[in-house]
Amino acid sequence: MLSAEKNPTHRIRSFIRRQGRITQGQQLALECHWDRYCLDPDADYDFKQVFGRAAPLIVEIGFGTGDSLAKMAAANPDNDYIGIEVHKPGVGHLMLLLDQQGLTNVRIYCHDAIDIIEHKVADNSLAGVHLFFPDPWPKKKHHKRRIVRPSFVELLARKLQPNGYFHAATDWQNYAEHMLEILSAGAGLGNTSQTGDYCGRPEYRPLTRFEQRGLRLGHGVWDLIFRRK
């Protein structure tokens, strides 16, 4: 019998749909730019045709407001990005940024990230996967909801290209330790840290305002970067 983790019918979700308040600008972006930037989770795409080129493809899981994703896309025009987020205010905000900056190398799924990666992304096709500041589910009884779990590592190893990378960042030390343990135990991925634990923040990951405030207050941030062997 399949466990709840591996049975897609009973998979424990790592997110809760918190609708939140949508601003007028975000709502306008959702109405005007949905077809331009959003992909249908029920459709099958050749992403080279979607972007009109062959380029390194990077997926960001849970992009929040999209500020960091837009900055990365602007700074790395030779990469293509797929952002996945379930909260529509963040989707609307990212659409505003993409439209304002004229960015063409980002597309969005407003859907469950695991479902998209598992069923809509080809094996051995991703140059990278980003998971920046995911919900840490700090209570012990909720740890089972954390997205980084053995089945997630197995999924990454299938979808990443050889030498493709997975980059996670968190400001919860307990979650950083949890991710390090799970990722290190998984087959197919190797830690890029010279010390076998955490990495410094690479230049391509922008500092968020929330992170900058935390650093000023002395809070820690932990980056983990693993590559497919």
Side-chain angles (χ1 to χ4, degrees):
M1 181 179 294
L2 291 175
S3 68
E5 180 184 339
K6 292 195 174 183
N7 185 338
T9 305
H10 298 95
R11 188 177 70 230
I12 298 171
R13 295 195 182 280
S14 61
F15 62 88
I16 294 177
R17 290 186 183 273
R18 304 180 184 93
Q19 184 57 44
R21 179 177 176 271
I22 298 180
T23 67
Q24 288 185 340
Q26 291 166 356
Q27 184 61 43
L28 184 62
L30 289 168
E31 294 172 358
C32 295
H33 302 309
W34 186 275
D35 292 339
R36 181 179 174 190
Y37 295 117
C38 275
L39 301 176
D40 182 352
D42 294 323
D44 294 318
Y45 296 98
D46 179 338
F47 295 117
K48 292 183 177 66
Q49 292 184 355
V50 169
F51 290 103
R53 64 178 183 172
L57 183 62
I58 297 169
V59 167
E60 179 162 346
I61 299 171
F63 57 74
T65 63
D67 290 304
S68 293
L69 179 51
K71 288 178 181 177
M72 284 188 291
N76 300 277
D78 292 334
N79 292 338
D80 289 332
Y81 295 86
I82 293 176
I84 309 176
E85 176 59 64
V86 296
H87 304 300
K88 284 192 174 180
V91 172
H93 185 71
L94 177 56
M95 287 182 182
L96 282 174
L97 297 175
L98 299 178
D99 181 59
Q100 290 169 357
Q101 299 177 39
L103 297 174
T104 60
N105 59 336
V106 180
R107 295 294 185 275
I108 301 167
Y109 280 107
C110 186
H111 197 70
D112 176 3
I114 298 298
D115 188 47
I116 293 299
I117 295 173
E118 186 170 5
H119 299 292
K120 302 301 177 181
V121 173
D123 291 353
N124 305 303
S125 67
L126 297 179
V129 176
H130 296 165
L131 179 69
F132 297 152
F133 304 99
D135 193 327
W137 294 102
K139 294 182 180 179
K140 190 172 182 179
K141 66 180 181 180
H142 292 153
H143 285 185
K144 62 186 178 182
R145 292 188 175 274
R146 290 175 167 177
I147 189 171
V148 177
R149 59 188 74 158
S151 61
F152 178 72
V153 179
E154 292 173 8
L155 182 63
L156 290 173
R158 288 208 326 268
K159 302 301 177 178
L160 287 170
Q161 300 169 348
N163 206 42
Y165 70 93
F166 170 64
H167 181 183
T170 181
D171 55 353
W172 284 78
Q173 184 174 0
N174 175 267
Y175 198 9
E177 293 168 351
H178 169 89
M179 287 193 286
L180 179 61
E181 179 181 358
I182 298 296
L183 288 162
S184 298
L189 299 181
N191 196 344
T192 66
S193 168
Q194 296 298 313
T195 54
D197 48 16
Y198 309 107
C199 298
R201 180 183 64 86
E203 290 185 1
Y204 67 75
R205 182 175 75 75
L207 278 172
T208 66
R209 285 177 294 179
F210 175 82
E211 184 180 1
Q212 288 173 332
R213 178 179 179 275
L215 291 172
R216 288 197 299 269
L217 295 173
H219 299 171
V221 174
W222 292 266
D223 285 77
L224 301 96
I225 304 176
F226 280 66
R227 285 194 181 273
R228 182 183 161 188
K229 299 174 182 177

